[in-house]
Amino acid sequence: QVDGREFSSLVTMPSKNGLPFKFQEFAAHNGDVHCVHVGRNSCKVIATGGSDRKVNVWALGKPNAVLSLTGHTSPVTSICFDGQEEVIVGGSSSGTIKLWDLDQGKAIRTLLGHRTDCLSVDFHPYGAFFASGSLDTNLKIWDIRRKACIQTYKGHLQGVTAVRFSPDGKWIVSGSEDGQVKLWDLTAGKILCEYEHEGPITSLDFHPSELVMISGSMDRTIKVIDLDELKTLRSTPPEGMGILENMFSPDGQAVLSVTGDYLKVWQYEPSCQPLDSVEVGWTSVADMCVNSASQIVACTTNQCFVQVWALNLTEIHPWRTEPSYSAEDSEKATSRLEGSHDDDGRDNRTSEKEKAKKEAMEMQKKAFLAAQVKAKKEREALEQRSSPSPSARQNGADAGVSSESSRRDANNGVQKARANVAAQVTKGADPTKTLQEKWSNLQRQWGGMEKGRMRDQADLDPSVEVTGGGGGGGGG
């Protein structure tokens, strides 16, 4: 942890378009930095060796060194953590090798054997041994508990620039400035196979789970070796500049390499093909690994300074997840897109119709309200006209009285007529003729009285309709 936070959370900050993020930069030594190693167990601690003859240990995110280990009398030229990040081994330009216990913060071993610069070191996976390669062309295997070299392998013609133990600890591979790569059997103590590049070897790595090995060289190529058949399988095409670092991805799916300003990803089977390329600018990369958060952690040097970079592996092909579409999916997507345009047109037309309908309803509502108001006014006017004034009510009452007197007179006339008819019948006159004449006269008289009554009623109630012929109809 750094400041109470996991390093993985600190560096999960990739810049846009998959570019690397410079996590940290610090002045590592009082002189040039010659070697850097990132602890593979956590990828959160860094060891640096410099021309000031010191080994400094850094916790990522901290501005100052956690430990400053001394003891060498010449510049430190190679450095490595053990698997548990508890011990550091450092070789110097004099050939001397020292081991420091990080818990105690002091040197626990000083080993002599190389005659000149110790160019590379690597710990055995089980931690009790380590290997060293030197400018004296020798590869040595050291037993830490016995404090001595237990095996020396000879055969390189120039300095041994890279050494690496196999994951199972049974083999070790070495590469030199003359371009030779040699695979050694630790149990038998003999060489298993060898091959050449056309330039100095810069880095070596074993596949995490298969019998495959890679080597990178300044001849601008990476070679893939089948360890089952002990032969070279294939090689990448030459790059523009030499291979500075190369390694298998943790899942063994591809090869990562740094060449010039670029980090490149390679497919290594069934053929070597580039999968992706990212401009990183790590022209002086000194070490590179992948942490548990699937981030590439790289350290570059510039005189006395060390820069720490992070790059998300998930932003690089083939680990980058991208949607893939078939031709059928593309056609469906296109049809859906076109259909969406049609739907938009229909929606627009529908909305226009709805708007017009709404406006018509609003106009109808206004017209209805206006009609209601008008009807109300007309009703009020009609009520005012239909209600009689006091003089009209008095005239109506007088008319009613006169009408009543007229009806009484008519009744008296009928009774008198009936009495006259009876008298004439008694006197022997023609009853039929006399009765018809009398009855016609009575009808004419009664019809005139009925019309007068209806006129009087109309004056009192304007809603009564006066029609002609009412009396005649009734008589018929």
Side-chain angles (χ1 to χ4, degrees), residues 313-324:
L313 202 63
T314 54
E315 296 188 6
I316 305 173
H317 187 71
W319 303 279
R320 180 176 58 237
T321 56
E322 296 179 340
S324 59

Side-chain angles (χ1 to χ4, degrees), residues 41-59:
N41 188 41
S42 67
C43 292
K44 300 174 184 178
V45 291
I46 300 174
T48 60
S51 59
D52 58 0
R53 306 186 298 275
K54 293 180 180 179
V55 172
N56 292 331
V57 181
W58 309 83

Side-chain angles (χ1 to χ4, degrees), residues 49 140 232 291 331 345:
K140 291 182 176 292
T232 302
N291 64 16
E331 291 177 359

